[in-house]
Amino acid sequence: MGKAYLHGQAGAGFGEENLGTSFWYGAGLGINFTKRIDAEFRYAGWKQNEVNSGEGSNGGIYNGGTGTPVYGGHYSTLGLRVAVNF
């Protein structure tokens, strides 16, 4: 049987169109079946601050120009990665 591994990650994510910087974090648990094939179950999450700049007159990044930010909060994903290494 292959070797199991655990990894962690953390860092900054840089958004487009005035979305600013977010904090990313995650972890994964995987197994190397052979030297060329492995699989990993992973979690990634990020915290995005509310966007507080921009016009918003045409809907833009604000909710219909009301001044209410439409982006911000905690987000996360779960995934399964299967890889063949060349």
Side-chain angles (χ1 to χ4, degrees):
M1 190 69 178
K3 293 183 179 180
Y5 62 89
L6 177 67
H7 88 270
Q9 60 190 32
F14 305 99
E16 297 178 347
E17 298 185 24
N18 299 324
L19 291 179
T21 304
S22 57
F23 175 68
W24 285 72
Y25 50 90
L29 176 62
I31 187 165
N32 291 316
F33 295 107
T34 68
K35 287 185 177 184
R36 296 188 58 207
I37 300 172
D38 78 281
E40 178 185 20
F41 180 71
R42 58 189 333 191
Y43 167 82
W46 63 99
K47 165 103 172 80
Q48 177 70 51
N49 293 329
E50 290 184 348
V51 176
N52 58 9
S53 63
E55 294 292 325
S57 60
N58 63 355
I61 60 172
Y62 282 121
N63 187 6
T66 63
T68 305
V70 294
Y71 193 81
H74 280 92
Y75 302 92
S76 61
T77 63
L78 293 174
L80 176 64
R81 180 185 63 83
V82 177
V84 176
N85 303 305
F86 295 97

